[in-house]
Amino acid sequence: MSKSPRLLLAILALAAALIPAASASAAPNMEVAVQDDAVLLQQRYFDRNQAYDLLRPMNATRVRFNAIWVTMNGAQASQKTRPATPTYDFRAMDSAIATARARGLKVLLTITGPAPAWANGKRQRGNPFRPNAKEYAKFVRAVVKRYKGQVDTYALWNEPNHAAWLAPVKEQGKLYRELFLAGSKAVRSADKKAKVLIGETAPFARKKTTATPPLQFLRDVTCATPRYTRAKRTCKPLVADGYAHHPYDFDRAPTKAIPGADNVSIATLGRLTTALDKLKAANLLKDRKGRALNVWLTEYGYFARKGANGKVFSESTRAKYLRQAFEIAQKNPRVVSMLQFLIVDKGDQTGPFNTAIVNDGGTPKATYNALVSWSRGAVARGQIRAAR
């Protein structure tokens, strides 16, 4: 062999060694996931079995539920003093998880606040103000012990960088670090095999008083400087099995970047993976094998109706944009899962945050048909996991 081929092989070997470990270990086939708690968990409207029949053509292989602390605590949640023995109503969740598993779907359970009155700083039912991390850990442990062997992945809190879920805004990073440390320890103690996701962050901050931009929030949680170096010697590295994020941008095409360097929409996922790489390099956030975290996109969609603070595109445009967003996610080797948020459009009963893709009677919208068409092609190309 001549020197030139040997030199080329050496260069290629060096290049391969420099590829980030997390990219090499990312899931080879992205999951398609779905969430619609009103239908699949609470069964407030629409037939749950009919809804699951609609998921199969989408090749959905995972469903997400929110285990909301204040809701599951029932009547006790209004008490201002801690009950001697906090109790939780698991009946709806038991049924939802059993049904999902019987349909062959994996479950992501987001264990989140708001907290009961006795476990938050305002002593008001469902107030997001300064939830008690120690009491949250006890709730987490109760949930994980109950679903050990049934749920393989847990995320800790929902949109902790938004004031509706965690307050005050100026303390969100500190508060969430405490919640995550306590909650992840509780998960590990109850089920060592379960994955633990950090984040579940909202994609942007419209106002400084309502949210913290996700990358700024991530730096605050990990004690990082604006350059992603260690800000405090006392901050130990955080360990998680993935980073969960909601990459919405309701007003733009998924190919257009959302303004603000610390905001992260589907078009700017590179900002997030770059931040995660830097945090791993600084030994501030890593997975259990010491690698940079991969990404779980655990909510996405475009508004079907007016109500929330976002633009409503035509159904044909929604369909186009939704398909493009799933294509963008699939092409990113760090994305493990991409979730369509909401299935059934029940009008006002769905609430102001309505990103549904099926009409109330079960008739598919163009958005649903677009996802079905894309998923079939993606399965055929070996790009996503097929439904069982």
Side-chain angles (χ1 to χ4, degrees), residues 139-156:
F139 173 56
V140 170
R141 182 172 173 79
V143 172
V144 178
K145 283 183 68 177
R146 189 173 189 90
Y147 298 120
K148 182 178 181 179
Q150 301 177 60
V151 174
D152 70 339
T153 307
Y154 297 91
L156 300 180

Side-chain angles (χ1 to χ4, degrees), residues 31-52:
E31 297 178 337
V32 173
V34 174
Q35 179 173 10
D36 194 329
D37 284 4
V39 174
L40 302 179
L41 172 60
Q42 301 153 1
Q43 299 185 81
R44 293 209 318 262
Y45 48 80
F46 205 75
D47 179 75
R48 181 163 68 182
N49 286 321
Q50 185 181 357
Y52 273 114

Side-chain angles (χ1 to χ4, degrees), residues 205-285:
R206 292 188 188 276
K207 299 179 182 178
K208 292 182 180 180
T209 55
T210 59
T212 304
L215 295 187
Q216 179 186 334
F217 173 80
L218 182 54
R219 293 193 298 271
D220 291 344
V221 172
T222 56
C223 306
T225 68
R227 293 187 177 183
Y228 295 91
T229 58
R230 188 181 297 275
K232 298 179 182 178
R233 292 182 180 179
T234 55
C235 279
K236 296 181 179 180
L238 298 178
V239 178
D241 296 298
Y243 190 89
H245 183 63
H246 306 166
Y248 295 112
D249 183 0
F250 308 111
D251 300 331
R252 297 169 186 81
T255 54
K256 294 185 178 180
I258 190 171
D262 282 336
N263 294 323
V264 178
S265 63
I266 193 72
T268 53
L269 289 180
R271 294 177 183 172
L272 178 56
T273 53
T274 296
L276 293 172
D277 289 342
K278 291 179 178 179
L279 291 172
K280 181 266 177 184
N283 196 33
L284 292 173
L285 177 62

